[in-house]
Each structure stands twice: as structure tokens, then as C-alpha cells.
Amino acid sequence: ASVFAVSDGEHAIILGTAQDHKRAYDNDQGPNTGGMGAISPAPALNENLNEAIFNDIIRPTINGMKLDGMPYEGILYAGIMLTENGPKVIEFNCRFGDPETQVVLPRLETDLVKIIKKTLDKKLKGMKINLINDTAITVVLASQGYPGDFKKGSELPSLSKYNQNKNILIFHSGTTE
């Protein structure tokens, strides 16, 4: 699972969770990629696990960095593996990650600019993050052969029929018009 938090150097809050899918093909087959899709909230997490991740991983990380004289301010992306002994950290990143961000940010009801401002002003304490109580899913469409050698310059079908659907967002990467 991926857990996104934000810290003002003193306090932290969870922005949301996601689970990405790394394999290039259906049924978890094929080569590993940067991510071929994601779902939010992370199906493997629940309220108790989220609380444990915050109390046992996120908060101690923020507190430890502060105690070391290097307070962490900004986005903290925690890659989490669920084990028989509880959640464990695979990796930390100081950024939003994709495709997870593409399912977490659309669920935010709390204004992201407000969150960033409170982070900069060191006023995150007590802030409540509201998320749309719905599931968001993203699927990555990639050229045949990705992540290995693949043909460039393939034409996409028209996506204009999706413009009016407020439940569909289309993100582009590596495309030209």
C-alpha cells in the first residue's frame, strides 16, 4: 500500500492511501513497471491499519527527523508492506507518486492549496482531511511492448466523448497533439 502524508516539520496528517499495480499485463503478469494502475483507498488497509501506520511509522519518522535537527516539511510518501508482524516500510519518497496520486488527489474534498498553505505556515495541527467516500481507479494505457522496446508515435483514439463525464479524468504522459 502507499500512504501519503504531509508534514509541517512538527505535525503530520495522512492525505490518503492507494495501492498500485506494477506488472505490465493483466492478472499480475509481465515485467515490472513504474505502475500500470492504482486504486484508492488502498483495499488492503482499514481504519486500524491506517492508525497503526500513522502512529508507528509516520509520526515517529517526523519526530525523529525533528530530533535530529532536520525537520521534514512537505509530502511524505510511504511505501508499505503488510506483514504478519504488522505494516513495514519498503520506501519513503518526498513527493507524490504516480499512478497513486491520480487516484488520491481526485478524492480530496479538502482544498490542496489550503493543505499546502497550512503546511508552509506550520499550522497542520488539528487539521482534518476530508476525502470523497468513493473509490477511485486509474488504468494506464501504454504502447505495446512497454516497458521494453515499444513503438513511438501511435495514434490514440478520440477521447472527446469522455469530456462531459465528471467521473472520468484523463491524464496524459508522453503524448503529443
Side-chain angles (χ1 to χ4, degrees):
S2 301
V3 177
F4 292 91
V6 63
S7 171
D8 63 10
E10 181 79 26
H11 303 95
I13 50 176
I14 291 181
L15 294 177
T17 67
Q19 179 178 322
D20 72 332
H21 299 276
K22 298 284 190 196
R23 297 293 179 173
Y25 309 137
D26 291 342
N27 301 314
D28 207 22
Q29 300 294 307
N32 206 13
T33 70
M36 296 303 294
I39 185 169
S40 177
L45 298 180
N46 57 38
E47 194 172 319
N48 290 338
L49 283 168
N50 286 342
E51 191 173 316
I53 290 166
F54 184 78
N55 291 330
D56 299 339
I57 295 172
I58 303 295
R59 184 179 289 149
T61 299
I62 299 305
N63 290 343
M65 292 186 74
K66 181 182 159 198
L67 287 172
D68 285 346
M70 297 179 289
Y72 184 80
E73 300 173 15
I75 300 298
L76 183 64
Y77 164 106
I80 303 293
M81 178 67 69
L82 301 177
T83 73
E84 291 178 3
N85 297 320
K88 304 293 180 193
V89 177
I90 298 172
E91 65 177 339
F92 282 122
N93 283 298
C94 55
R95 61 168 173 79
F96 283 120
D98 73 335
E100 298 93 339
T101 303
Q102 297 165 352
V103 291
V104 171
L105 290 186
R107 293 187 58 235
L108 266 182
E109 284 186 321
T110 306
D111 184 10
L112 181 59
V113 173
K114 181 179 177 182
I115 297 167
I116 292 168
K117 178 124 175 57
K118 285 196 176 275
T119 301
L120 293 171
D121 294 341
K122 301 190 183 320
K123 295 183 178 178
L124 278 179
K125 184 176 182 178
M127 183 175 191
K128 173 85 169 106
I129 299 295
N130 295 311
L131 296 166
I132 294 169
N133 190 21
D134 209 348
T135 300
I137 298 171
T138 188
V139 176
V140 173
L141 303 177
S143 294
Q144 186 172 355
Y146 174 84
D149 292 331
F150 59 91
K151 180 182 171 193
K152 294 180 174 60
S154 299
E155 188 171 332
L156 295 172
S158 174
L159 302 173
S160 62
K161 66 183 175 184
Y162 301 106
N163 290 345
Q164 301 305 314
N165 189 326
K166 294 183 183 198
N167 290 322
I168 295 177
L169 299 172
I170 298 174
F171 300 96
H172 286 268
S173 174
T175 58
T176 59
E177 190 169 4

